[in-house]
Amino acid sequence: MNIELIGITVLWIFLYGYLIVASIDFGAGFFSYYSMLTGRKHLVHGIIERYLSPVWEVTNVFLIFFMVGMVGFFPDTAYYLGTTLLIPGSIAIILLAIRGSYYAFSTYGSKDNKFYMLLYGASGLLIPASLSIVLTISEGGYIEEKGNQVTLLYSKLFTSPYAWSVVILSLVSVLFISAAFLTYYADKAKDYKAMEVLRGFALGWSIPTILSSLLVFFSIQRHNPWHFEQMLDLSWMFVLSFLCFMVATYLIWHRKRLGLAFLTVMLQFALAFFGYGASHLPYILYPMISIHESITSPSMGIALIIAFIAGLMLLIPSLYLLMRLFLFNANYVQGKHGK
Amino acid sequence: MMSYDPAVYSRILTGLTLGFHIIFATIGVGVPVMIAIAEFLGIKRKDPHYTLLARRWARGFVITVAVGVVTGTSIGLQLNLLWPSFMQIAGQAIALPLFMETFAFFFEAIFLGIYLYTWDRFRNPWTHFIISIPVIIGSSASAFFITIVNAFMNTPQGFKLSGRTIIDIDPIVAMFNPATPTKTAHVLSSAYMTSAFVLAAIAAVALLAGKRHIYYQKALKLTMVCGLIFSLSTAFIGDLSGKFLAEYQPEKLAAAEWHFETAEKAPLVFGGVLGENNEIRYALKLPYALSILAYGKPDAVVQGLNETPKELRPPLYIHYFFDIMVTIGGLSIVLCIAYLWINRKSRQNTGKPLPRWLLRCIVWSGPLAMLAIECGWIFAEAGRQPWILRGYMKTVHGATTSANVDWMLLLFSLLYIVLGFTVWIILRRMFRSYTPEQELEQNGIEGGPHK
């Protein structure tokens, strides 16, 4: 494998990692707020807070990692995406900032402040939508280059069925992933009341997830036939993804092996996400940037990969420790430890 | 209104974000060190006051970390949005330290989560203390690596530029550029120093309000001793930074000192105003001091600003920022010594409280130390104008060409105002509603009628 392929693969893995942990996080914020509105806060809030408190900071890092790696390996993306995404990017940053800080304010500072919870819950739903614009743009057709000036064609973006289908998919899958995880987590905590509420959320969001995935399929065919052809070559991945979805919903429906159910949800999204990514290659931004316009200096590429490996050697044991202490610690999960 | 110029607005917005971020970043780097020292003393001396100090600091620290994380994310993404052309070229050269910075941050994030939620979980208190070490390593390492990125922008090396493509990068040479040692050391040391003074100011506020508990006196003593050590090391490293500037960025030093003509036995100019033909009025001139600062010899020749072509000169206002930074640094050393002196004397004739003027000065030292951080940073950044990559790329050529940067500036200003305001309210409420006295009593450490 050459350096650029390793680079994009590693980055894609990190983006997938962000997709999963951020979805759990964003969805949890929304469920937390929603259950407060519907008077069920006492049922699910404890579970959500126990999971989120030690990990919220880690979630953010995945995104930064992806960004830095992207510019490091593929500097041209900084130029094209940086210039065109000023407004959506800034809005995403502001939402992330509001969400992150008001999460901390409402968890550690002013408990039960409804306004803080609203900011934190609502911003979580808008972030996936604003971040998904990057994926939309990467399909090409939304950027115009004239001389030294690249601009995003907003009117084209806002009237594009493809763009909207991606937004819908990102929204519902966030809620689905999150609910599937929290169902499992509540079950582990032996908090069956919370589990029932969250199971309802998971099942409720399962059908919209699959419908919106189909919608994306159809609209990509119309928007970028080249990419659709490529996706057909990898259709086995999408079929497997659908099977995983079926297994997951079956298990959640029957309240059986919820850990396995969440794993199949992860697998479902992994297959779809990597299938989508692989079929998009070699383009990063169709048709302007391909992975071959990557770092011009092999020594930097090697240094980056070494740093990656060294970093992972440090991170994997630490993440394992974090999970042992919090996610997979029966006492902690059941709330038997004080702060 | 100014006419729309994306480069100008990009500079203001980047400055605003960074200026807001470094308040929280400084606390984020320095406070974990202070927390660890307090926890260490608490376990070692079996003194629950220090342990409580560590816990209370840690509780407030989480709030500031949250804002530090989100503003750090902002600046990380803004670099690409506001400076796409710069990132396209320099992004690859600085990719390695940027990467390592994120790793360090990742590492810190993981262990901070563990640290905050395991206070009473281990039977052996040292186990919990040990978790603070990776937090410190993570926060200081991320400051170290991100400062390397900035050092690279000041003294870029280890690559070749052909047109818009950067080639032959040597990542190690780029990372360990001449500015790296002094810059990183000064950033770390001044962050520790500032955090010590901020925490000292909090203790002094309580003492001024008439609280007499020994807890506050211990807090003040600990923070002031640390403050002295860190401000002495900051001053020492600052002197080395001056020598670095004289050799590698003489125009920055000359602009900071309004030193126009290359001359030996150069005086250090303090304060003053500039006349029309750059003649200096109302300033205090310390003979030989600039030569000593620059080369360690009173009769050394210091390069003047006139040697630099006019369009490549940094703005002359950085003089004031330099002066403020150095003055605050110097005064804080004096303050620490005065405190230690008076504190020793007042302990000899027992029971006599510290004089109110001293406590008031300590209250001021916290915000002033933060002001010095801001000034030092503005001095360092504005001092390399007009370059974004000194000698390679001018700032105006790195900026975005996109429309609407002015609107984004407005949005972000609003965001920072709201965030800053809420943090202030939350922190005040957190500490006022649950005082150390109440907490000591509730934890069963002390209490009873005699208190």
Side-chain angles (χ1 to χ4, degrees), chain B residues 275-291:
Chain B
E276 252 173 52
N277 296 315
N278 285 343
E279 76 272 17
I280 304 163
R281 275 181 287 172
Y282 314 118
L284 183 68
K285 286 190 184 178
L286 303 171
Y288 308 110
L290 183 58
S291 292

Side-chain angles (χ1 to χ4, degrees), chain A residues 53 58 64-65 67 69 71 75-76 78 82 93 101-102 104 108 110 116 149 296-297 299-300 307 311 325 329 337, chain B residues 62 66 69 74 77 80-81 84 88 92-93 96 99 102-103 106 112 114 117 121 166 169 401 403 408 418-419 422 429:
Chain A
S53 298
V58 177
I64 296 287
F65 223 107
M67 288 291 310
V71 177
D76 283 350
I93 297 172
S101 40
Y102 281 88
Y108 306 101
S110 239
Y116 290 179
Q149 185 75 31
T296 40
S297 177
S299 57
M300 192 48 145
L325 283 170
N329 182 296
H337 273 297
Chain B
V62 193
V69 170
S74 297
L77 299 176
N80 299 302
L81 297 174
Q88 187 186 21
Q92 336 178 38
L96 188 61
F99 248 69
T102 3
F103 269 123
F106 217 144
L112 186 65
I114 297 177
Y117 284 88
R121 222 160 125 177
I166 187 167
I169 307 170
T401 47
M408 297 303 118
V418 171
L419 281 186
T422 335
R429 200 183 294 158

Side-chain angles (χ1 to χ4, degrees), chain B residues 205-217:
Chain B
V205 167
L207 284 168
L208 263 182
K211 303 206 174 190
R212 301 296 288 270
H213 199 284
I214 181 85
Y215 169 87
Y216 301 104
Q217 285 160 25

Side-chain angles (χ1 to χ4, degrees), chain A residues 64-304:
Chain A
I64 296 287
F65 223 107
F66 174 74
M67 288 291 310
V68 170
M70 192 77 177
V71 177
F73 275 107
F74 309 105
D76 283 350
T77 54
Y79 177 68
Y80 282 98
L81 294 179
T83 309
T84 48
L85 288 177
L86 179 75
I87 294 176
S90 298
I91 292 172
I93 297 172
I94 288 173
L95 289 169
L96 280 168
I98 290 177
R99 196 189 134 75
S101 40
Y102 281 88
Y103 170 72
F105 297 162
S106 80
T107 313
Y108 306 101
S110 239
K111 280 198 199 273
D112 296 320
N113 186 320
K114 285 193 182 158
F115 180 64
Y116 290 179
M117 283 194 71
L118 168 72
L119 284 180
Y120 152 64
S123 54
L125 279 193
L126 297 172
I127 296 168
S130 63
L131 288 180
S132 66
I133 292 183
V134 184
L135 282 186
T136 309
I137 288 179
S138 73
E139 283 305 320
Y142 302 105
I143 290 182
E144 187 183 56
E145 189 170 18
K146 270 188 194 159
N148 287 332
Q149 185 75 31
V150 281
T151 39
L152 182 59
L153 306 168
Y154 280 98
S155 54
K156 216 166 170 183
L157 185 68
F158 285 124
T159 53
S160 150
Y162 173 67
W164 287 107
S165 63
V166 173
V167 167
I168 295 169
L169 176 64
S170 70
L171 268 179
V172 287
S173 41
V174 159
L175 295 171
F176 178 59
I177 294 172
S178 184
F181 173 79
L182 291 169
T183 310
Y184 156 63
Y185 195 69
D187 185 57
K188 248 182 94 70
K190 301 200 170 52
D191 186 344
Y192 298 111
K193 282 184 187 153
M195 197 271 275
E196 283 305 317
V197 176
L198 293 160
R199 172 178 167 269
F201 291 157
L203 292 173
W205 288 108
S206 61
I207 301 294
T209 303
I210 257 345
L211 289 180
S212 53
S213 313
L214 288 175
L215 191 65
V216 169
F217 254 102
F218 286 123
S219 50
I220 213 168
Q221 184 189 14
R222 303 193 54 178
H223 182 77
N224 185 347
W226 169 82
H227 189 191
F228 186 74
E229 288 296 315
Q230 297 258 101
M231 281 169 91
L232 285 185
D233 293 342
L234 291 170
S235 52
W236 61 272
M237 294 183 84
F238 299 99
V239 172
L240 271 182
S241 165
F242 181 70
L243 286 177
C244 287
F245 166 77
M246 297 296 283
V247 173
T249 359
Y250 174 84
L251 291 173
I252 295 173
W253 180 265
H254 289 281
R255 300 183 184 82
K256 272 195 293 197
R257 312 197 53 188
L258 293 167
L260 183 67
F262 179 65
L263 272 182
T264 46
V265 170
M266 277 177 72
L267 206 58
Q268 171 203 341
F269 280 91
L271 284 161
F273 191 70
F274 283 92
Y276 170 84
S279 59
H280 202 279
L281 289 178
Y283 292 104
I284 295 176
L285 173 64
Y286 182 86
M288 289 164 177
I289 314 170
S290 81
I291 57 167
H292 303 301
E293 279 111 57
S294 68
I295 28 172
T296 40
S297 177
S299 57
M300 192 48 145
I302 291 162
L304 282 180

